[in-house]
Amino acid sequence: MMKLRKLALLALLPGLVWASGPRVEMQTNLGKIVVELEAEKAPKTVANFLSYVDDGSYNNSLFHRVIPGFVAQAGGYNAGFNPLPTNSPVENESANGLSNRRGTLAMARMSDPNSATRQFYFNLNDNTSLDANVQPGYTVFGTVVSGLEVLEKIADEPTSVDPKLRASDVPTNPIVITKVTRLD
């Protein structure tokens, strides 16, 4: 009987491995972050994100907004704080059952729920107020599988108001995403 249970469990393993989503590695000047993407729950968002990964346009971009205990936002600006080119906005998929919990990856957007393009953020805390409820929320599309300590380093970096970006919470010392690659 025990042998049958073991065989049944082993038979499930290929399905479990197959069910995992694509992974990307973000190399930053503070360390590496590996994220597993939720292609089944946020297919349009993942396809959009991977289009920027594949064309290399996240390489040498900045974390331009870091609010400790909230989010670390990136992907929209180069080292000179010049906006990077965007593709068409992606449809909001925030009602996918995923929550803005610590260690998740989500799309930044404007007030229009369907305005997300290339900017993303990591949740540094449980931010369930950003989830879909009566109104659309912010689409979660991935989870950090390694590198949470790098996000903690990012959150510890000093920030200030940047005159060029005309924004607060901008890291004083640039936090650069040097390279983003697929691991699958």
Side-chain angles (χ1 to χ4, degrees):
M1 185 68 151
M2 185 66 138
K3 200 174 203 179
L4 280 174
R5 275 190 252 190
K6 284 183 181 177
L7 287 174
L9 286 173
L10 288 174
L12 290 174
L13 285 177
L16 292 175
V17 172
W18 177 81
S20 66
R23 290 183 177 204
V24 296
E25 178 182 82
M26 293 184 185
Q27 297 176 22
T28 77
N29 59 332
L30 295 178
K32 293 180 184 178
I33 304 166
V34 176
V35 179
E36 184 171 311
L37 304 176
E38 295 280 354
E40 285 188 24
K41 293 190 175 191
K44 294 173 185 173
T45 304
V46 168
N48 174 68
F49 178 78
L50 288 174
S51 72
Y52 293 108
V53 170
D54 293 341
D55 74 10
S57 67
Y58 282 135
N59 298 346
N60 300 308
S61 63
L62 296 175
F63 276 91
H64 65 276
R65 179 178 179 228
V66 178
I67 304 172
F70 185 50
V71 300
Q73 187 172 336
Y77 296 92
N78 66 17
F81 290 113
N82 297 308
L84 293 166
T86 62
N87 299 330
S88 298
V90 66
E91 181 182 331
N92 187 292
E93 296 176 301
S94 63
N96 61 15
L98 301 173
S99 181
N100 281 274
R101 300 277 180 186
R102 181 178 183 271
T104 58
L105 178 65
M107 289 304 292
R109 63 172 174 80
M110 306 299 277
S111 58
D112 176 355
N114 298 306
S115 62
T117 55
R118 67 175 297 129
Q119 290 189 36
F120 58 86
Y121 63 89
F122 288 97
N123 284 290
L124 301 174
N125 205 349
D126 289 347
N127 296 314
T128 58
S129 64
L130 301 176
D131 292 346
N133 47 43
V134 176
Q135 300 294 321
Y138 292 79
T139 303
V140 174
F141 67 100
T143 303
V144 174
V145 293
S146 73
L148 277 174
E149 72 282 356
V150 175
L151 288 177
E152 290 169 10
K153 283 185 205 175
I154 290 170
D156 287 341
E157 288 291 308
T159 61
S160 65
V161 174
D162 185 273
K164 180 162 185 179
L165 199 53
R166 290 188 233 164
S168 57
D169 306 309
V170 178
T172 308
N173 301 311
I175 303 170
V176 181
I177 299 170
T178 55
K179 189 172 185 181
V180 183
T181 53
R182 285 191 196 224
L183 296 178
D184 57 331

